[in-house]
Amino acid sequence: MTPRLKPSSLDAILEAAFELLASNPGASLADIATRAGVGRATLHRYFSSRDDLLLALAKAAVREMDDAVAAACADCPTHSDALYRSLEALVPLGDRYRFLANSAFEENPELQAEYTRQERETVELVDAAKAEGLFDAIVPTLWIVQSFEHLLYAAWESVTAQQCTPAQATDLAWRTLTNGLGAQS
């Protein structure tokens, strides 16, 4: 039997911060340290200020989301499949997505560049899926992208509220994105 490795203090702090800040953006560093099971001194060894912690969280969120999508889409036969698998990979990372959506990083050029890159990649993927016939050609790409982002958020909210599993939330979001809410004929 392989012994279970205890997460590092840094990993515990980051995970606790994501959990707390996703539901309570005003959570204190003391609250985060308590949730992580570390003392405030340990937290301050890694992060000298709240801003340092928030920046580290934002960078981690972007990296985790990119890694999840890249892994999920590595062998997709179509762009439409890649869009679905992106949604499927991102639903479990909803706390990361919500953290980024609720945080103001407009003044950080590095994070702004990452956001712009992710948005451009989503637009390109939606355009490619649209060219494959997944979406009606008259629907503006940015409408589809915004719908994708809002449905991702709704899926995560449903999972967080324990209304459905990540797989169910992904399927509901995908059905809504691709078929709308009307009765199927």
Side-chain angles (χ1 to χ4, degrees):
M1 176 180 241
T2 305
R4 197 191 244 194
L5 296 176
K6 182 179 177 189
S8 72
S9 294
L10 176 59
D11 292 339
I13 291 166
L14 293 174
E15 196 57 41
F18 274 126
E19 290 171 10
L20 284 174
L21 294 172
S23 60
N24 176 13
S28 70
L29 292 179
D31 294 336
I32 293 167
T34 300
R35 172 67 70 85
V38 300
R40 287 190 63 192
T42 300
L43 187 144
H44 284 290
R45 238 180 292 146
Y46 291 103
F47 306 104
S48 61
S49 69
R50 181 180 181 82
D51 287 343
D52 287 346
L53 173 60
L54 294 178
L55 182 59
L57 288 170
K59 288 178 180 180
V62 168
R63 185 176 52 255
E64 288 178 34
M65 292 170 71
D66 283 348
D67 291 349
V69 169
C73 297
D75 62 349
C76 287
T78 67
H79 294 96
S80 299
D81 289 332
L83 190 62
Y84 176 82
R85 288 193 191 170
S86 294
L87 181 65
E88 186 176 45
L90 291 171
V91 167
L93 297 176
D95 56 344
R96 274 66 169 158
Y97 181 81
R98 185 173 184 189
F99 172 79
L100 288 172
N102 290 339
S103 300
F105 293 109
E106 293 87 15
E107 295 180 21
N108 184 296
E110 180 183 357
L111 289 175
Q112 204 49 41
E114 288 297 313
Y115 174 78
T116 300
R117 176 192 53 79
Q118 284 183 333
E119 185 175 55
R120 183 186 68 250
E121 289 172 357
T122 304
V123 166
E124 290 169 357
L125 183 56
V126 166
D127 275 339
K130 192 189 241 188
E132 292 172 349
L134 181 64
F135 301 109
D136 190 326
I138 65 167
V139 178
T141 296
L142 291 181
W143 181 268
I144 299 167
V145 169
Q146 288 179 342
S147 297
F148 179 89
E149 290 174 354
H150 291 288
L151 288 166
L152 173 59
Y153 187 84
W156 179 74
E157 286 286 328
S158 294
V159 170
T160 300
Q162 298 181 340
Q163 296 169 341
C164 55
T165 67
Q168 291 168 329
T170 298
D171 289 342
L172 287 169
W174 185 251
R175 176 177 181 237
T176 304
L177 182 67
T178 58
N179 298 320
L181 295 171
Q184 303 298 310
S185 52

